[in-house]
Amino acid sequence: MPEHPASARDFDFHGPALDTVFDTYRDLREQCPVGRSDRYGGFWFLTRAQDIFAAAHDPQTFSVTPSMLLPAFGTEVPLIPVDIDPPDHAGYRRILMPLFTPKAVARLDEDMRRTARRLAAEVAAREVADVSYEFARPMSTTVFSRLAGFPEQDRPLFDRWIDDIVYARSADPQRALAAGREVMDYFDALLRSRGDDAPGADDLIHHLTTAEIDGRRLTHDELLSFCYLLFLAGLDTTAWAIRSSLWYLAQHPRAQARLREHPDETPVAAEEFLRTLSPVQAMARTCVRDTEIAGRKIKAGDRVVLVFGAGNRDPAAYDDPDEVVLDRRDNRHLAFGVGIHRCAASNLGRRELVVALQEFLATVPDFSRTDPAEPWHGLGPLTLRIGR
Ligand code: HEM
């Protein structure tokens, strides 16, 4: 087997590395599809769709213990259900599923649309707007806080925690850990204040505090872990999906015009934005028994990262993989993961993206990048010029 090239040993999927990550994926898939990076204590990475698919479907070899998050996500306890292996995983996941069925998500539709319309109207009134901070993030925080039963007045706190935990964690792990503790303390107090729960409450906290697993209620620690994970999983993923889709549309006036004229085409187009821009670029596993992938020997104890963002652009799986084909059919992408940990709320994530894009395009006149030369940032601000 050839040595790992320097691009592999230095491979990262966080922070500034995101600016050029799609070029990196192309090079790695060609030169070293299963490679080893020295970062975060060392990890293997899989960039081909077929390898990611196989590993995600083999939890007996690729465990989520101690965590599927690399580096750690500002917490010292395993997160439910992402860091839980079979057989316990299924019971936790069963608790969540009724919250995110297509029917349950459809009930949120009108409220989501009202929120998107209100935020888009504020953007439309401006000549230049940061649509990340003024549209994508408040949209996602508002929808999720209502669903979860998190007090609306606490939303500025959520934004700060997301900044510290999601945006700053590779550059400043201590800041992420400190924010993680604050989040845990916050949910600890919130859960205690809800006690055995207000009768008649109809939100996620009520659902979790009254749910049963094998005939028993969840413990306080389990509830805390669930809340923290949902906070992480529910907030910046959809914000990323919305922001990055607007980033694409800002540079492609014809695509913008087409979806403005044909809003019914947005659901199919949204799948293509999810495929090419992958709001969750990668998730980790730990190998628990020696194995081999594409001739590389992976040992028990090694960390292995499934790079969904790279698999989503694998030419072996998609024609013209780097192109956004607005009406691409049979788009079975990896943006929500695959296997037993596939996103439990994919119905909500994709619906929120569709509603946000439809309302934004219906309300905001033609928009473009203020600096077309600026690279793609998965994270951070997205400043757009509004109107011609
Ligand atoms: C466009 C938005 C979203 C994307 C792209 C996304 C993507 C993902 C991915 C890639 C995984 C991990 C799959 C794996 O490692 O195998 C995941 C897991 C998960 N996501 Fe999402 N997600 C989104 C929105 C949400 C939202 C809004 C929520 C909750 C309100 C949520 C809740 C979860 C949960 C609970 C899991 C863990 C499932 C398990 O371990 O069984 N996600 N998501």
Side-chain angles (χ1 to χ4, degrees):
M1 269 281 124
E3 280 298 296
H4 299 282
S7 57
R9 292 205 313 273
D10 204 32
F11 171 61
D12 193 4
F13 52 97
H14 294 297
L18 287 170
D19 288 0
T20 49
V21 81
F22 300 128
D23 296 332
T24 310
Y25 291 160
R26 195 179 316 116
D27 295 345
L28 288 176
R29 245 188 343 256
E30 281 163 16
Q31 299 165 18
C32 184
V34 178
R36 180 120 186 117
S37 169
D38 296 334
R39 294 196 177 241
Y40 310 122
F43 64 89
W44 292 94
F45 56 83
L46 312 181
T47 60
R48 295 189 303 200
Q50 66 179 53
D51 294 334
I52 295 169
F53 192 88
H57 279 95
D58 184 4
Q60 270 69 41
T61 308
F62 298 100
S63 155
V64 289
T65 308
S67 174
M68 70 156 69
L69 304 167
L70 185 77
F73 232 111
T75 170
E76 287 133 347
V77 296
L79 297 177
I80 299 174
V82 284
D83 296 339
I84 308 293
D85 281 317
D88 295 345
H89 170 259
Y92 289 125
R93 191 171 161 104
R94 217 172 292 124
I95 289 178
L96 279 183
M97 295 321 277
L99 290 164
F100 302 117
T101 60
K103 214 165 146 193
V105 169
R107 281 200 292 273
L108 306 174
D109 215 86
E110 200 33 57
D111 193 42
M112 283 200 269
R113 233 169 244 293
R114 256 198 311 275
T115 303
R117 222 176 284 146
R118 174 178 59 77
L119 293 166
E122 286 166 23
V123 170
R126 314 273 300 274
E127 281 176 14
V128 171
D130 175 351
V131 297
S132 177
Y133 281 80
E134 292 170 43
F135 184 74
R137 291 183 61 174
M139 168 81 193
S140 145
T141 317
T142 308
V143 171
F144 187 68
S145 307
R146 287 204 186 135
L147 170 76
F150 298 162
E152 305 222 359
Q153 70 272 17
D154 293 344
R155 272 191 244 143
L157 269 179
F158 300 160
D159 281 340
R160 182 170 67 71
W161 288 329
I162 290 289
D163 274 338
D164 289 354
I165 298 172
V166 181
Y167 290 52
R169 81 182 160 126
S170 58
D172 192 349
Q174 288 313 315
R175 187 168 144 198
L177 260 177
R181 283 193 201 106
E182 279 183 53
V183 178
M184 284 299 215
D185 289 346
Y186 172 86
F187 287 128
D188 185 43
L190 182 67
L191 285 164
R192 288 184 199 285
S193 76
R194 296 274 301 248
D196 222 15
D197 217 34
D202 178 24
D203 57 31
L204 194 145
I205 301 249
H206 174 77
H207 181 83
L208 293 179
T209 50
T210 53
E212 291 197 350
I213 191 165
D214 298 332
R216 65 162 180 92
R217 292 274 174 97
L218 295 175
T219 65
H220 184 75
D221 285 351
E222 286 173 321
L223 288 168
L224 208 49
S225 167
F226 244 129
C227 283
Y228 186 70
L229 181 273
L230 287 165
F231 171 81
L232 288 179
L235 285 182
D236 208 61
T237 46
T238 39
W240 173 307
I242 297 166
R243 172 179 55 229
S244 58
S245 305
L246 292 177
W247 171 84
Y248 174 84
L249 289 169
Q251 295 164 92
H252 294 86
R254 279 166 59 189
Q256 214 181 108
R258 177 168 162 185
L259 294 184
R260 206 174 257 120
E261 220 170 292
H262 303 284
D264 55 313
E265 293 182 10
T266 311
V268 172
E271 295 305 309
E272 189 65 344
F273 298 139
L274 287 167
R275 180 184 72 80
T276 50
L277 298 162
S278 299
V280 176
Q281 290 290 322
M283 283 292 193
R285 304 289 192 267
T286 303
C287 185
V288 288
R289 55 187 181 204
D290 292 0
T291 188
E292 191 173 315
I293 307 177
R296 300 281 189 195
K297 290 189 180 0
I298 300 179
K299 294 210 169 327
D302 287 354
R303 297 286 263 153
V304 179
V305 169
L306 319 185
V307 191
F308 301 124
N312 268 338
R313 289 169 173 245
D314 181 351
Y318 309 95
D319 295 334
D320 299 325
D322 290 319
E323 291 299 310
V324 171
V325 179
L326 288 183
D327 57 358
R328 192 183 287 270
R329 298 284 149 189
D330 297 327
N331 194 352
R332 264 178 262 173
H333 56 70
L334 302 167
F336 291 111
V338 278
I340 60 165
H341 291 282
R342 184 180 183 280
C343 182
S346 57
N347 293 320
L348 175 62
R350 50 164 51 106
R351 190 66 203 149
E352 206 174 318
L353 173 60
V354 168
V355 166
L357 293 180
Q358 285 176 334
E359 294 303 328
F360 193 90
L361 287 165
T363 313
V364 178
D366 293 356
F367 52 93
S368 54
R369 304 282 308 278
T370 46
D371 175 7
E374 204 190 0
W376 180 75
H377 301 288
L379 304 171
L382 175 59
T383 311
L384 298 184
R385 188 173 312 289
I386 311 298
R388 284 182 203 284

